[in-house]
């Protein structure tokens, strides 16, 4: 992800120059770190110089984004998914990486978060717009991935009543959208 932050499959050795690393076995869930959307989310998190007290990974898949947040220094992380296999993979991978993550179904989420990260497809992201904005605390960051370049305007319009999104980065036809909630 960065020269000193690596994602390493459980069946490989950790490179000597990796100061931080995530050991990962995705199981049946999405999220190995190789897909452009996952990499862009990881790069966004790694580029921060300050980390919040808590974060939400909405649509956690393998748990890779939640684990990365924990490895970077976020003390409290909720990870949710509608797929029980994803929740199982997240809990397994969190334990394998020695980090504490609360993982479960979306109905476990309460309160607001300084970071809300959702790496899922554009259609569910549109439907979830009111909820994800409601879960983002004032001054907090909303990070959305799983969006194709041709879907940017549609997603920006869906979130416009609550958060002004911008294209943070692009890779291989995929876009990372970010925005800060003002009120």
């Amino acid at each position: 992800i960065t020269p000193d932050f690596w994602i390493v499959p459980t069946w490989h050795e950790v490179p000597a120059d990796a100061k931080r690393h995530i050991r990962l076995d995705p199981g049946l869930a999405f999220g190995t770190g190789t897909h452009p959307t996952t990499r862009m989310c990881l790069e966004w998190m790694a580029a921060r110089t300050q980390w919040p007290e808590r974060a939400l990974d909405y649509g956690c898949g393998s748990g890779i984004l939640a684990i990365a947040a924990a490895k970077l220094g976020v003390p409290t992380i909720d990870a949710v998914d509608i797929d029980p296999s994803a929740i199982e993979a997240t809990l397994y991978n969190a334990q394998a990486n020695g980090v504490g993550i609360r993982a479960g179904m979306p109905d476990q989420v309460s309160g607001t978060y300084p970071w809300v990260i959702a790496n899922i497809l554009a259609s569910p992201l549109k439907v979830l717009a009111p909820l994800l904005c409601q879960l983002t605390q004032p001054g907090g960051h909303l990070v959305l991935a799983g969006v194709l370049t041709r879907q940017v305007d549609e997603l920006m319009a869906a979130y416009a009543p609550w958060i002004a999104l911008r294209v943070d980065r692009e890779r291989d036809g995929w876009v990372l959208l970010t925005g800060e909630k003002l009120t």
Side-chain angles (χ1 to χ4, degrees):
I1 303 307
T2 68
D4 64 351
F5 187 22
W6 288 67
I7 308 295
V8 183
T10 54
W11 55 91
H12 283 272
E13 292 298 318
V14 176
D17 52 344
K19 293 180 182 157
R20 281 184 249 161
H21 66 277
I22 296 173
R23 300 295 302 209
L24 193 70
D25 183 355
L28 298 175
F30 178 81
T32 61
T34 59
H35 194 273
T37 61
T38 307
R39 288 193 63 84
M40 289 188 293
C41 289
L42 292 165
E43 290 166 354
W44 181 89
M45 287 191 289
R48 306 300 102 203
T49 56
Q50 294 182 332
W51 296 276
E53 286 299 311
R54 97 188 202 128
L56 173 63
D57 178 0
Y58 202 99
C60 59
S62 68
I64 189 170
L65 300 178
I67 294 164
K71 293 274 188 167
L72 289 166
V74 179
T76 304
I77 297 133
D78 289 336
V80 298
D81 206 295
I82 60 170
D83 181 356
S85 296
I87 296 165
E88 185 179 322
T90 294
L91 291 169
Y92 172 82
N93 286 317
Q95 182 179 22
N97 282 279
V99 297
I101 292 171
R102 192 170 70 160
M105 299 299 276
D107 62 356
Q108 84 165 34
V109 175
S110 64
T112 59
Y113 297 82
W115 281 7
V116 174
I117 302 169
N119 182 16
I120 50 184
L121 296 174
S123 291
L125 284 174
K126 276 177 44 182
V127 171
L128 290 167
L131 174 63
L132 295 178
C133 292
Q134 179 183 357
L135 292 169
T136 306
Q137 76 180 32
H141 295 276
L142 178 63
V143 179
L144 304 176
V147 179
L148 294 167
T149 305
R150 63 182 165 77
Q151 298 168 320
V152 168
D153 291 340
E154 188 179 348
L155 261 290
M156 286 181 166
Y159 283 79
W162 305 280
I163 297 176
L165 295 173
R166 66 186 170 285
V167 174
D168 185 274
R169 56 193 78 200
E170 266 184 86
R171 184 172 291 133
D172 300 332
W174 296 94
V175 174
L176 181 74
L177 296 173
T178 62
E180 192 172 325
K181 186 172 183 179
L182 302 178
T183 59

